[in-house]
Amino acid sequence: MTPKHLGQASALPSSPDEAVLDYVPNPRPGRPYLVRFAVPEFTSLCPVTAQPDFAHLVIDYAPGETIVESKSLKLFLGSFRNHQAFHEDCTVGIGERLTAEMKPVWLRIGGYWYPRGGIPIDVFWQSGAPPEGLWLPKQDVPGYRGRG
């Protein structure tokens, strides 16, 4: 399958539903390894107020037959900029879409949302138990401490 975005000029999709994620063959099939994407400047919009929400996302996965192409992932994540959804919907939806399309051996996502209204919300999802023998580094995103 030829990637749609890699090496091409690509516009930011207007919504996550319109975003096309590209997948390429896993260069190391059959080997247990972990891929991490850290997204420290993820943004979406509150579905009630349309105010911007900000998060630090960490996506970890153990590839199956394919890996996600990073440019298409950046465009997909960028498409949330004008998307109105609760933190839980964004975080879990991203994890579920990647799992459904890419079919990794295992995937987890941590959404560390910055506070608005005084309450930080952290959302975590994983596709199941991690494979035995897979090295799982900590996500190491510090919890919100405010001024303390």
Side-chain angles (χ1 to χ4, degrees), residues 55-58 86-95 108-114 120-126 139:
H56 184 150
L57 301 181
V58 180
F86 289 112
H87 304 335
E88 296 85 351
D89 189 34
C90 288
T91 306
V92 175
I94 291 166
R108 74 176 173 189
I109 182 170
Y112 301 85
W113 293 84
Y114 295 96
I121 299 173
D122 295 337
V123 180
F124 306 97
W125 182 85
Q126 67 181 23
Q139 290 197 344

Side-chain angles (χ1 to χ4, degrees), residues 15-102:
S15 74
D17 289 338
E18 291 182 14
V20 175
L21 285 156
D22 287 331
Y23 302 95
V24 296
N26 179 356
R28 299 287 179 176
R31 290 196 172 95
Y33 69 97
L34 187 90
V35 176
R36 169 168 290 169
F37 290 101
V39 187
E41 297 178 348
F42 180 83
T43 59
S44 65
L45 298 176
C46 173
V48 176
T49 66
Q51 295 286 322
D53 287 320
F54 302 89
H56 184 150
L57 301 181
V58 180
I59 302 166
D60 292 328
Y61 74 95
E65 294 299 314
T66 63
I67 58 174
V68 65
E69 191 278 312
S70 63
K71 181 178 179 183
S72 73
L73 180 65
K74 291 174 198 174
L75 291 167
F76 169 60
L77 296 174
S79 73
F80 281 84
R81 233 168 236 244
N82 295 315
H83 180 71
Q84 294 185 350
F86 289 112
H87 304 335
E88 296 85 351
D89 189 34
C90 288
T91 306
V92 175
I94 291 166
E96 287 180 336
R97 178 156 175 197
L98 287 168
T99 299
E101 292 182 11
M102 181 173 40

